Amino acid sequence: VIIASPLGLRQQMGPVGAAPLPCDWLSSIELSAIVHATALAMQNWAHLDEALGGLNGVPTDPGETDFARVRPYFLDGLARHLR
């Protein structure tokens, strides 16, 4: 469970104002709930867009990944349609 603001997620993705760094840990999130989006609308909405864009990325470093457990649609880049 990750409870964070869009700015906090964006800062974990790299410096604000720079291009986002690869965040493999964001691509493992299967369910995302945005609570009180009206309050977030008063903040910088671009941070939320960039953080949600990181959810749909394909991991760049396989590391110790067990590919038998990875769902095929994640590797095909179709995760954005199923979240």
Side-chain angles (χ1 to χ4, degrees):
V1 175
I2 299 173
I3 300 174
S5 69
L7 178 59
L9 289 174
R10 179 59 182 102
Q11 288 175 336
Q12 291 298 316
M13 294 173 68
V16 175
L21 299 172
C23 291
D24 294 343
W25 58 274
L26 279 176
S27 64
S28 66
I29 296 174
E30 289 190 34
L31 177 67
S32 167
I34 301 170
V35 182
H36 300 294
T38 55
L40 293 176
M42 293 183 273
Q43 300 176 16
N44 190 347
W45 196 259
H47 295 312
L48 182 64
D49 285 338
E50 292 177 10
L52 291 178
L55 292 177
N56 298 320
V58 177
T60 56
D61 181 25
E64 297 179 12
T65 304
D66 179 11
F67 284 99
R69 298 185 66 192
V70 177
R71 297 188 176 132
Y73 55 83
F74 283 123
L75 297 176
D76 293 337
L78 300 175
R80 67 179 180 265
H81 300 295
L82 301 167
R83 285 205 172 103

